[in-house]
Amino acid sequence: MAHDRPQDSAEVVIPPHIYGFPGVGFGGYAAGILAQNLSAASVKVNFRRPIPLGSPVALRRTEDKGYELTDAEGALLTAQECDEVAVPPSVPSWDDAVEAEKRHPLTNSPFATRDCYGCGGDRAPGQGLRQNFSQRPEQRMVVAPWTPDPELGRGRTVLTPEQMWGALDCPGGWACRLFSDAPHETVTAYMATTVTKPVVLGEDHVTFGWVLSKSGRKHMVGSAIATRDGELCARTEALWLTLPSQV
């Protein structure tokens, strides 16, 4: 886990239950650890290699004033402060999200991973973010009415940076698979995120994702978290990359 104050170096262990793909640390969560240490409103995290679960990795300050997570073979993730991410073209309302959940649920989608830390419905309270995505086909958007479980807090009243970045990871993955023809074996290559407001546990929010562009194996997506009243808490631009074996 990351510390509340920035450090030049530390040891980090991604808990064994925090994964999307089996056996691999959840990318958005790990990215949030780096972002927390940078203490900037806008941060870009590049994903270099899969992140191990349950094993110590090193958090290090870099010479260019960024941060990285490394193991014995080199960098796993790198992070730098970046420009502010563009706001979404539209923000779905809470009622929009609830209606999508009724009309176009994704519970039985072939892309659903029931034990994913970010969107797995089989996770127990406090053991996952439990975002339940549905689609809005006309808007080419995925959306979830989401009330973050207070059990995620462990004494806090708001999501930690790693939890917030984790919540922003899955919407983009769903969007590129549903609306950009990406296969399941498509992974996050980078996330650039701007945070403007804390996500309060136990309060209603809307998380959503959409496709920005596609070029070969590259899928650019956007994702965001908003309050029930439509105020943005955080927004992300991400590159998802289809593995070469799937092309």
Side-chain angles (χ1 to χ4, degrees):
M1 296 290 292
H3 297 266
D4 288 335
R5 295 181 179 179
Q7 303 184 104
D8 287 340
S9 63
E11 186 177 88
V12 172
V13 177
I14 306 297
H17 70 284
I18 298 182
Y19 61 85
F21 289 103
V24 178
F26 194 76
Y29 184 95
I33 293 174
L34 290 179
Q36 175 175 278
N37 279 274
L38 268 170
S39 301
S42 300
V43 175
K44 181 179 180 180
V45 176
N46 289 291
F47 297 78
R48 305 298 189 191
R49 292 186 292 117
I51 308 145
L53 285 170
S55 299
V57 295
L59 170 73
R60 293 175 179 162
R61 184 83 167 172
T62 58
E63 293 182 357
D64 56 2
K65 299 182 180 180
Y67 274 91
E68 63 181 8
L69 285 181
T70 67
D71 63 9
E73 298 180 16
L76 298 162
L77 283 76
T78 61
Q80 283 281 342
E81 186 172 354
C82 69
D83 293 335
E84 186 173 314
V85 175
V87 299
S90 63
V91 178
S93 69
W94 175 265
D95 290 343
D96 290 335
V98 171
E99 182 65 19
E101 192 172 48
K102 294 176 182 177
R103 296 181 59 194
H104 303 289
L106 294 169
T107 307
N108 296 319
S109 166
F111 297 123
T113 304
R114 298 296 300 171
D115 60 350
C116 173
Y117 176 76
C119 61
D122 290 347
R123 289 292 183 125
Q127 293 298 302
L129 302 177
R130 292 157 48 101
Q131 299 174 98
N132 184 27
F133 288 101
S134 303
Q135 59 176 317
R136 303 182 72 205
E138 299 84 359
Q139 291 76 23
R140 295 177 62 81
M141 176 184 288
V142 296
V143 62
W146 183 46
T147 307
D149 196 317
E151 290 190 35
L152 291 166
R154 301 181 183 275
R156 297 174 182 256
T157 59
V158 299
L159 289 183
T160 63
E162 52 265 42
Q163 290 168 336
M164 181 183 284
W165 278 66
L168 289 161
D169 200 357
C170 285
W174 274 106
C176 73
R177 291 177 179 114
L178 290 173
F179 303 120
S180 190
D181 299 320
H184 186 70
E185 293 78 9
T186 302
V187 298
T188 317
Y190 79 71
M191 295 175 69
T193 296
T194 296
V195 176
T196 54
K197 181 181 176 67
V199 173
V200 179
L201 298 170
E203 293 190 1
D204 293 340
H205 292 77
V206 176
T207 53
F208 54 106
W210 64 98
V211 173
L212 294 168
S213 65
K214 175 185 177 181
S215 177
R217 296 192 297 121
K218 298 178 180 180
H219 308 268
M220 292 297 304
V221 298
S223 60
I225 306 171
T227 66
R228 184 173 181 138
D229 295 331
E231 185 177 358
L232 287 172
C233 300
R235 54 192 188 268
T236 290
E237 178 184 279
L239 171 64
W240 283 68
L241 196 62
T242 298
L243 299 179
S245 61
Q246 301 301 309
V247 177

